Amino acid sequence: MKRVLQRPPVGVARTAVLIAAARATEQHRLHPLFHDPLAAGLVRAAGSASDLNGVRTLAGDHFVLRTRYFDDALLASARPQVVLVAAGLDTRAFRLSWPPGTRLFELDLPELLRFKEDVLRDLAAEPSCERVVVPCDLRDDWATALIRAGFDPNRPAAWLLEGLFMFLPPDVGEQVMYLVSALSAQDSTLALEHVNREFRDLPQMRAVHERFGTMDARWQSDVEDPVAWLDGYGWHATVTHQVDLAARHDRAVPAITDPRKVGDARIWLASATRTA
Ligand SMILES: C[S@@+](CC[C@H](N)C(=O)[O-])C[C@H]1O[C@@H](n2cnc3c(N)ncnc32)[C@H](O)[C@@H]1O
């Protein structure tokens, strides 16, 4: 009997399909910045992401560049525990070469993770580390769920918060940062993405906000100085500009992050180590 797949993601969880679609498209390039053989299957199972084509046209190059940035940050970090907060349809547990003994936790909404697990099972995907999924809502007590799932706050961890903070109300974003920091032993690392107010207010972003608004995935947060923000939580952070990232990988600067086109509007890509 054919198994019925879980319902494809809706609402804010559907934004994960958009990112997976950008990663799938990158696989058609001659020299992709990363290999993600599962992305296309996940997008296919989600139906179509064509209603989000406008967003992908605008920001697809950025999604690709940021994927490589965070791949490199996580692999360089090489911590025994990795936590992908709001993992979405991220397949790093399967496609990156992790040091032996790595335990990787994926946090996201229960409906999203049910769908993802179903599709990955159908694709016969095998993780390259110990992978633990933690269905939760980041507005609730996710820290307890993470510890119950086997996370050890006394061991260093590498945290990733990619494509998340802008979707959270400011108080929830602060609570997430507070808990991440409280759970981080010395030598932990953190990598994150956020945006500043100027970026949210870009005229180019109006159509994106409208589209996300109809999906119940409104942007609600921004940060002016991510280094100072992270410092306040006990992290020493450095920000990498997309201009440097693009040069490093011999790619054009994504137009949506090109200072000649967007001025001081910024999508922050930051990496940090625990100082407190
Ligand atoms: C733009 S996607 C990014 C996914 C992934 N990090 C990536 O870059 O491919 C945003 C993700 O945040 C998750 N998310 C948003 N709000 C959440 C919440 N309150 N609790 C758990 N996950 C949430 C969504 O389900 C979605 O998977």
Side-chain angles (χ1 to χ4, degrees), residues 22 93 103 111 116 122 136 143 151 160 162 166-167 176 178 187 191 196 200 204 217 229 244 247 255 262 271 275-276:
R103 184 182 270 184
E111 312 79 60
K116 184 177 184 180
D122 274 10
C136 59
F151 179 83
L160 175 64
E162 178 184 22
M166 51 292 264
F167 292 105
V176 166
Y178 171 78
D187 288 334
N196 66 5
R200 282 178 72 182
Q204 298 92 306
W229 184 53
D244 300 321
V262 300
S271 298
T275 54

Side-chain angles (χ1 to χ4, degrees), residues 216-238:
D216 205 12
R218 213 164 45 81
W219 279 18
Q220 305 183 63
S221 295
D222 50 74
V223 67
E224 283 319 296
D225 184 346
V227 173
W229 184 53
L230 287 169
D231 184 61
Y233 284 103
W235 296 90
H236 175 69
T238 51

Side-chain angles (χ1 to χ4, degrees), residues 12-13 15-16 19 23 66 86-88 108-109 136-138 162-163 167:
V12 71
T15 61
I19 312 299
R23 291 181 182 138
R66 93 175 189 201
D108 210 297
L109 294 165
C136 59
D137 189 321
L138 295 166
E162 178 184 22
F167 292 105

